[in-house]
Amino acid sequence: MSTPAEDDLLLERQLCFALTVASRSVVGIYKPVLERMGLTHPQYLVMLALWERSPRSLKDISDALLHEPATLSPILRRLEEAGLLTRERVPGNERALAVTLTDAGAALREQATAVPGTIMERLGLSREEVADLHAAMTGLIAATQRPAPVHAAQPG
Amino acid sequence: MSTPAEDDLLLERQLCFALTVASRSVVGIYKPVLERMGLTHPQYLVMLALWERSPRSLKDISDALLHEPATLSPILRRLEEAGLLTRERVPGNERALAVTLTDAGAALREQATAVPGTIMERLGLSREEVADLHAAMTGLIAATQRPAPVHAAQPG
DNA sequence: CACTAATTATTAGTACACTAACAATTAGTG
DNA sequence: CACTAATTGTTAGTGTACTAATAATTAGTG
């Protein structure tokens, strides 16, 4: 007998709740797999970016991963300590940081090729189901990046 | 000309990447809205659980939110400091913690009733689209909780 | 009833993730 | 060329989020 607005506050109905649980749960599935490679999940995403192109600047990686530079700084430091990459200043632009894969970092890609298949099998999802979920997430991300409706303007 | 297994490592194709970005992005949409209530997003989820039933034990909240008790302990401490709830031992079971809404905590629900609508409008999503996304996330969570295939047994 | 096992919270330690403040460098402009 | 603005990273501070270790209490068993 509660009003619709009150029903909207049920925990089990919150998209944000389902989303954060799904995110943590899926990352949790990766954990034992990535542990064998000595990587955390955020570190794995950085390595994926570098396996596509190296060297890259921190800013470039930050844009690719949609992460704050302040978040990536310590992650890159740990990956450097693990011997997977080097951090030097870009010649000709001393502001930018040149993040470069080491031989060990590049070689780790071999082991990584097995990861997506392992996860898909662990989740019991087909390639198509994964693609559908990916598309749904991409659409949701796009929704967050659209400008807010005018009559719901930001404070200030 | 790369092999399929190598294409699988493209950052833009990773469900885990889309999922973590979507989670962070959506939580980021909540942030300015919840800030007016003095809540972070994890704190908001705890309040949702308590608005459904109070008092509840930490263990009970932990099960509802699929969170480790060790994660909730400091969150509950901050909510107590904010005057929204109390933490006492359950009479008759001194192990359990009785988490109870204060009058201020219960009253905050009024403001919260506007939150889901505000978010839906900000995201430009219909009730149905939200429901579809919610169902997709619920399915994904279920996939992570299914037992692993036998031939991909856990180490040990 | 004593002993062991299970339950429940907390604390310590590590690793994100964010904002704000800062520092260093480079670009743009008169 | 000097001055201002923009770009790029790092550090500090706050708040999760996890595992492991610990502590306190309760339940179960002979």
Side-chain angles (χ1 to χ4, degrees), chain A residues 104-125:
Chain A
L108 197 61
R109 192 181 192 280
E110 290 273 327
Q111 292 181 51
T113 55
V115 171
T118 302
I119 300 298
M120 240 173 39
E121 182 177 357
R122 170 64 184 80
L123 291 178
L125 297 177

Side-chain angles (χ1 to χ4, degrees), chain A residues 6 8-12 16 24 41 48 52 66-67 109 121-123 127 134 137 146 151, chain B residues 6 8 10-12 16 24 41 48 52 66-67 109 121-123 127 134 137 146 151:
Chain A
E6 282 176 349
D8 282 348
L9 284 187
L10 290 177
L11 185 58
E12 288 304 323
C16 65
R24 283 190 289 112
H41 189 262
L48 286 179
E52 288 184 19
L66 297 176
H67 253 113
R109 192 181 192 280
E121 182 177 357
R122 170 64 184 80
L123 291 178
R127 235 184 166 76
H134 190 283
M137 292 303 98
R146 278 196 289 269
H151 60 293
Chain B
E6 282 176 349
D8 281 347
L10 289 177
L11 186 58
E12 288 303 323
C16 65
R24 283 190 290 113
H41 190 262
L48 287 179
E52 289 185 17
L66 297 176
H67 253 113
R109 192 180 192 280
E121 183 178 358
R122 170 64 185 82
L123 291 178
R127 236 184 165 76
H134 190 283
M137 291 302 98
R146 278 195 289 269
H151 59 294

Side-chain angles (χ1 to χ4, degrees), chain A residues 40-123:
Chain A
T40 65
H41 189 262
Q43 289 169 5
Y44 173 64
L45 295 181
V46 169
M47 293 305 289
L48 286 179
L50 287 172
W51 286 326
E52 288 184 19
R53 184 164 70 256
S54 166
R56 299 178 78 158
S57 72
L58 187 151
K59 167 72 170 159
D60 185 31
I61 299 172
S62 160
D63 289 341
L65 298 183
L66 297 176
H67 253 113
E68 296 301 317
T71 301
L72 291 177
S73 264
I75 296 179
L76 291 173
R77 180 175 52 72
R78 291 186 192 103
L79 288 172
E80 184 184 39
E81 286 168 5
L84 299 178
L85 53 80
T86 61
R87 295 188 304 157
E88 299 164 343
R89 290 293 155 175
V90 172
N93 186 353
E94 293 292 320
R95 289 172 303 183
L97 194 70
V99 180
T100 311
L101 284 177
T102 61
D103 289 346
L108 197 61
R109 192 181 192 280
E110 290 273 327
Q111 292 181 51
T113 55
V115 171
T118 302
I119 300 298
M120 240 173 39
E121 182 177 357
R122 170 64 184 80
L123 291 178

Side-chain angles (χ1 to χ4, degrees), chain B residues 65-95:
Chain B
L65 298 182
L66 297 176
H67 253 113
E68 296 300 318
T71 301
L72 292 177
S73 264
I75 296 179
L76 291 173
R77 179 176 52 73
R78 291 187 190 101
L79 289 172
E80 183 184 40
E81 286 167 7
L84 299 178
L85 52 80
T86 60
R87 295 188 303 156
E88 299 164 344
R89 291 293 156 174
V90 172
N93 186 351
E94 293 292 320
R95 289 172 303 183

Side-chain angles (χ1 to χ4, degrees), chain B residues 9-86:
Chain B
L9 283 188
L10 289 177
L11 186 58
E12 288 303 323
R13 193 169 296 176
Q14 306 302 314
L15 174 57
C16 65
F17 174 51
L19 193 56
T20 55
V21 171
S23 177
R24 283 190 290 113
S25 300
V26 169
V27 168
I29 296 292
Y30 277 82
K31 193 175 183 194
V33 178
L34 296 180
E35 238 162 26
R36 296 171 213 157
M37 303 171 61
L39 296 176
T40 64
H41 190 262
Q43 290 169 6
Y44 173 65
L45 295 181
V46 169
M47 294 304 290
L48 287 179
L50 286 171
W51 286 326
E52 289 185 17
R53 183 165 69 257
S54 167
R56 298 178 78 158
S57 72
L58 187 153
K59 167 71 170 159
D60 184 32
I61 299 171
S62 159
D63 288 341
L65 298 182
L66 297 176
H67 253 113
E68 296 300 318
T71 301
L72 292 177
S73 264
I75 296 179
L76 291 173
R77 179 176 52 73
R78 291 187 190 101
L79 289 172
E80 183 184 40
E81 286 167 7
L84 299 178
L85 52 80
T86 60

